[in-house]
Amino acid sequence: MTANVRSYGCLSDLLEGTKETEDTNDALWERPDVICVQEHHTNGEKMKKLCKKVSDAGFWGIWTGAVDTGQGGTHGGVAVLCRKNVVIGEIEGIEEIPGKAEGRAAAAFVRGRPGGGVVVVCSYLWPEGDSGRNSEM
């Protein structure tokens, strides 16, 4: 699942909607194991608090903080989140992910079964389309 939480609303509201209940149907989109989050707009202490809320909702993840705009706000901020029963980790050998410094990319290794797994990349592209900075990511 992917979610632009600035458009969706609060990330904790999104995660609350993924909790399994008696009324939950078996559709994967209702109970995703992996969520790519864009535009969480948090960094520093705010991001620590958000990570705690995410953990309380049963998820953990690999985070890239938002970048200060210099005008009192932030932009970007992405994360790859997994349910706590799924193993997730940093990708070995990748020191710098294009777009990470701008708060626009995060990558994680998600282990599906013993000996297997996938690399999940979450990117929040610039509004300029498929050229320039986006093609570098």
Side-chain angles (χ1 to χ4, degrees), residues 11-126:
L11 177 57
S12 53
D13 290 346
L14 170 69
L15 296 177
E16 185 66 31
T18 67
K19 288 185 177 175
E20 191 168 355
T21 66
E22 290 180 15
D23 297 332
T24 303
N25 124 3
D26 288 335
L28 289 176
W29 61 268
E30 290 183 355
R31 294 183 293 122
D33 289 325
V34 179
I35 302 174
C36 291
V37 175
Q38 300 88 32
E39 280 198 283
H40 59 66
H41 283 265
T42 59
N43 58 24
E45 287 302 313
K46 282 185 175 181
M47 195 161 83
K48 287 180 185 177
K49 290 178 183 177
L50 181 59
C51 288
K52 170 81 169 90
K53 284 184 179 180
V54 166
S55 178
D56 290 347
F59 288 81
W60 53 11
I62 303 297
W63 295 80
T64 297
V67 176
D68 291 323
T69 63
Q71 300 172 345
T74 60
H75 72 85
V78 297
V80 177
L81 306 179
C82 290
R83 291 192 180 277
K84 287 187 175 178
N85 65 333
V86 177
V87 177
I88 185 172
E90 299 276 347
I91 300 171
E92 292 182 26
I94 296 181
E95 298 302 319
E96 187 57 39
I97 301 164
K100 185 174 182 176
E102 294 88 9
R104 292 183 169 267
F109 181 77
V110 179
R111 187 172 313 280
R113 58 184 172 85
V118 296
V119 172
V120 177
V121 177
C122 177
S123 60
Y124 173 53
L125 299 177
W126 298 96

